[in-house]
Amino acid sequence: MASETCKACDKPSLRKFIDFGQMPVANAYVREEDIRNPSFEEYTYNMAVGFCDVCNMVQLTETVPYDKYIIPDQIGNTKYAFFSSQSDVMKRHFAGLAEEVENKFLAGNVGRSYNRRVVEVGSNDGIMLQAFRDRESVLGIEPSSNVARVAQEKGIETIVDFFSQNLAEELADEKGKARAVLTANVFLNIYDIHDFMNGVNELLDDKGVFITEDPYLGSILEQGGYDQIYDEHVWYFSLSSLKNLYGRHGFEIIDAKPQTVHGGSMRVYASRSGTYPQMPRVKEILEQEEEKGLTALNPFLQFAETTKKNRDKLINLLAELKSQNKKIVGYAAASKGTIVHNFCSIGPDTLDYIADSTPAKQGLYTPGMHIPIVAPEVFRQDKDVDYAFLGAWNHAKEIMSKENAFINRGGKFITHMPEPHIIEP
Ligand SMILES: [Zn+2]
């Protein structure tokens, strides 16, 4: 097995363990006029993942430029389809985070070192920052102007830009240093992770904390969640790989807490080495990672084997139902679905359409396989559907309770997690 250069530690120790072949950008939905246009060329890249023997970082071997998925419109506004605040679960989740940051890192922060400045990188529509009581002290940085505008309308100061060392230097000069820099589901998207860390170092004051929350590699491996791998996710973090990355920048992990959102995430707290005591659970999680094998190549090779087996199983299951003349459609158009459809070659000959409640996606086609996306009402009125394949298994409960009329008339849902099967009511 050939090694490539690890983008976290620069050593020639990156070992590719899974290759999905050519993939489209997972959220680049295709317009009808593009499908009809014979010269339309959809952007694709080779999606493959490697593990670093030296620093344990798991990463995409080929990355996709930001402008392929943060797409500017005719007048130059950048758009990102997903508005965070549409989810009540996430609203509550971030309210919890804000309260914790206020109590632990801002509350006792009085006198000469008084600093309540909180900066969120990738602040989306302000879902997290709006949970902080002191709105004057929060600042969002968000490259997608359509969601940033929503945050600004809510009164949350938001800069439309990518975070970088240069921007951090400017902000530190103009607005002062921050006590906390936060990111949620953003750090894993950052290509130049060292420039980002230099920026964090510039922006934080001497007692500053850097808090990240991203899908946890341990959960992905445990669940066989290969559909969490896609273009925007450059990195797949374990605590061990973050410890090595932070160490290079003079930072250390002071706390880590597993979260249930997004199929299993980890909230990781870091500061400059020696600033805060380290919570005992950091060591415990690091030890668990050694035991589970997150620090060795072998479990990743096993993950690749299981993924291929599950692909074949799903293809066979759907082919079997089609041979019985069953009508199958998809439910929920999401990045996860794009990966599964393309990896398993599931196209409009298998799924007649995909029902999705996001108006902006209706009327478009899925990336790569070009399955038409329709409103859920179309699905509800279509009494010929026998099976609905779930594109977002993490929302299975919510979807199934919403669509119990379908289940009551004998319709069944299919999921590919943890392995492909028909969900029996
Ligand atoms: Zn490395």
Side-chain angles (χ1 to χ4, degrees):
M1 196 165 30
S3 293
E4 296 175 41
T5 303
C6 168
K7 290 185 287 296
C9 72
D10 302 324
K11 304 268 183 346
S13 44
L14 188 66
R15 313 249 258 152
K16 181 155 83 176
F17 60 86
I18 191 163
D19 191 333
F20 292 85
Q22 288 299 118
M23 276 280 170
V25 170
N27 282 313
Y29 294 93
V30 182
R31 298 172 304 174
E32 173 124 38
E33 60 203 87
D34 290 331
I35 288 192
R36 287 191 187 157
N37 178 0
S39 60
F40 170 66
E41 270 179 55
E42 203 169 358
Y43 175 86
T44 63
Y45 70 104
N46 177 218
M47 190 173 100
V49 191
F51 166 81
C52 176
D53 275 335
V54 172
C55 75
N56 300 336
M57 189 66 88
V58 171
Q59 56 204 270
L60 288 184
T61 57
E62 181 184 334
T63 51
V64 174
Y66 286 125
D67 63 1
K68 297 293 177 197
Y69 64 87
I70 297 181
I71 303 156
D73 64 15
Q74 292 89 331
I75 53 164
N77 285 327
T78 43
K79 272 194 187 153
Y80 192 55
F82 187 67
F83 283 83
S84 296
S85 291
Q86 285 168 355
S87 164
D88 285 335
V89 176
M90 294 312 290
K91 251 187 212 166
R92 283 196 296 275
H93 175 77
F94 288 129
L97 172 61
E99 197 184 338
E100 195 182 352
V101 171
E102 281 175 340
N103 293 340
K104 269 196 187 161
F105 302 106
L106 306 179
N109 172 8
V110 288
R112 280 208 310 176
S113 71
Y114 184 86
N115 187 2
R116 294 177 63 85
R117 168 67 77 186
V118 173
V119 175
E120 186 189 0
V121 180
S123 49
N124 198 276
D125 57 8
I127 182 172
M128 186 205 286
L129 290 179
Q130 73 190 22
F132 282 87
R133 278 172 294 183
D134 184 1
R135 287 280 182 91
E136 296 297 301
S137 300
V138 302
L139 175 69
I141 299 167
E142 169 55 54
S144 298
S145 60
N146 66 327
V147 286
R149 197 173 310 122
V150 176
Q152 288 160 344
E153 280 161 10
K154 286 192 266 195
I156 295 161
E157 188 183 358
T158 305
I159 293 170
V160 181
D161 206 345
F162 286 100
F163 185 73
S164 65
Q165 184 174 0
N166 283 340
L167 182 70
E169 281 168 5
E170 275 172 38
L171 291 177
D173 280 350
E174 285 168 23
K175 297 179 184 292
K177 297 207 173 211
R179 178 54 51 99
V181 172
L182 317 173
T183 72
N185 301 304
V186 166
F187 200 41
L188 80 170
N189 301 337
I190 305 298
Y191 306 146
D192 194 347
I193 207 160
H194 296 301
D195 179 73
F196 193 99
M197 285 306 298
N198 290 338
V200 169
N201 199 16
E202 289 289 340
L203 192 52
L204 284 176
D205 72 8
D206 56 350
K207 284 211 171 336
V209 284
F210 176 45
I211 304 173
T212 61
E213 192 175 293
D214 292 291
Y216 179 54
L217 180 64
S219 308
I220 296 171
L221 217 56
E222 211 167 272
Q223 296 164 345
Y226 69 85
D227 57 6
Q228 301 225 33
I229 299 167
Y230 70 107
D231 48 280
E232 293 177 35
H233 292 177
V234 179
W235 313 98
Y236 302 83
F237 298 122
S238 62
L239 211 54
S240 154
S241 60
L242 283 176
K243 179 180 170 233
N244 291 326
L245 173 72
Y246 290 163
R248 186 171 151 158
H249 291 272
F251 277 66
E252 66 178 357
I253 296 171
I254 51 173
D255 201 0
K257 287 183 186 171
Q259 308 290 321
T260 55
V261 292
H262 296 296
S265 292
M266 188 71 82
R267 185 178 294 166
V268 181
Y269 305 70
S271 69
R272 288 189 197 87
S273 303
T275 312
Y276 292 95
Q278 186 184 66
M279 297 298 283
R281 61 180 156 243
V282 174
K283 204 170 157 233
E284 283 163 25
I285 297 172
L286 286 169
E287 281 167 4
Q288 284 164 16
E289 289 187 349
E290 293 259 347
E291 284 161 25
K292 286 180 191 161
L294 292 185
T295 52
L297 180 65
N298 217 25
F300 297 97
L301 295 173
Q302 267 166 13
F303 169 82
E305 277 310 302
T306 310
T307 298
K308 281 176 210 151
K309 264 186 215 152
N310 283 339
R311 173 189 60 189
D312 296 345
K313 205 171 167 184
L314 180 61
I315 291 171
N316 291 338
L317 172 66
L318 295 175
E320 169 76 27
L321 295 174
K322 282 315 259 188
S323 75
Q324 297 165 16
N325 286 319
K326 301 294 186 193
K327 181 168 182 177
I328 315 171
V329 301
Y331 199 104
S335 58
K336 289 183 169 66
T338 300
I339 298 307
V340 176
H341 298 156
N342 283 280
F343 182 51
C344 304
S345 304
I346 301 167
D349 48 341
T350 306
L351 305 180
D352 290 46
Y353 54 79
I354 294 177
D356 193 281
S357 57
T358 313
K361 290 181 187 170
Q362 294 159 9
L364 298 175
Y365 294 77
T366 62
M369 300 311 291
H370 301 168
I371 305 168
I373 303 168
V374 302
E377 288 67 37
V378 175
F379 164 71
R380 284 171 202 144
Q381 282 160 18
D382 186 351
K383 307 296 180 212
D384 296 333
V385 179
D386 301 294
Y387 295 93
F389 178 58
L390 284 169
W393 51 269
N394 46 332
H395 299 299
K397 260 193 196 152
E398 205 180 316
I399 292 170
M400 288 170 72
S401 70
K402 229 187 340 187
E403 302 301 343
N404 57 16
F406 170 65
I407 296 170
N408 289 342
R409 69 165 178 79
K412 283 177 180 164
F413 281 96
I414 300 170
T415 178
H416 65 284
M417 290 290 289
E419 55 180 63
H421 67 279
I422 296 167
I423 302 174
E424 295 298 340

